[in-house]
Amino acid sequence: MPRVKRAVHARKKRAKILEQAKGYYGRKKSSYRFAKEQVDHSLVYAYRDRKARKRTFRQLWIIRINAAARENGLSYNRFMEGVKKAGIELDRKSLADIAVSDPQAFAAVAERAKTALAQAA
């Protein structure tokens, strides 16, 4: 069986890891052994946090909607129920943006939600 000379491939593989490790602190950016370990961890964190970012943004939107809904005399739960019954097809991201940027428009949405709740009861 012929022998395989790996010099080019091995150097390319190490260079790729060191390129990914740019900006790290200390030997993690210059030593292949430490860079490889840190890059592996960093990729795990990146994958995990892409999922976590979706959760944290949803939490933020709910907090903003809740605060604005309470200013208009509704809890978050009742507000969302009223929005659904009123047939308003705005997602939480849009509602949170309206709550922050245009309180009068949010108050109008809250009023429609209140009337929808009153009619349903």
Side-chain angles (χ1 to χ4, degrees), residues 68-69 71-74 79 82-83 86 88 103-119:
E71 285 179 358
N72 290 289
L74 287 167
F79 173 76
V83 164
I88 301 169
Q104 289 85 15
F106 190 87
V109 172
E111 281 304 314
R112 285 194 43 200
K114 278 183 192 175
T115 56
L117 284 171
Q119 289 172 356

Side-chain angles (χ1 to χ4, degrees), residues 61-79:
W61 298 331
I62 288 172
I63 289 167
R64 288 178 174 174
I65 293 168
N66 187 25
R70 287 185 186 277
E71 285 179 358
N72 290 289
L74 287 167
S75 68
Y76 170 78
N77 191 34
R78 296 292 289 165
F79 173 76

Side-chain angles (χ1 to χ4, degrees), residues 14-15 17-36 38-39:
R14 291 186 198 115
I17 293 291
L18 289 171
E19 179 67 29
Q20 287 177 307
K22 266 201 171 141
Y24 290 171
Y25 182 80
R27 284 167 70 188
K28 292 177 191 174
K29 70 177 168 220
S30 56
S31 170
Y32 174 73
R33 177 195 289 184
F34 298 110
K36 181 174 177 2
Q38 188 58 52
V39 166

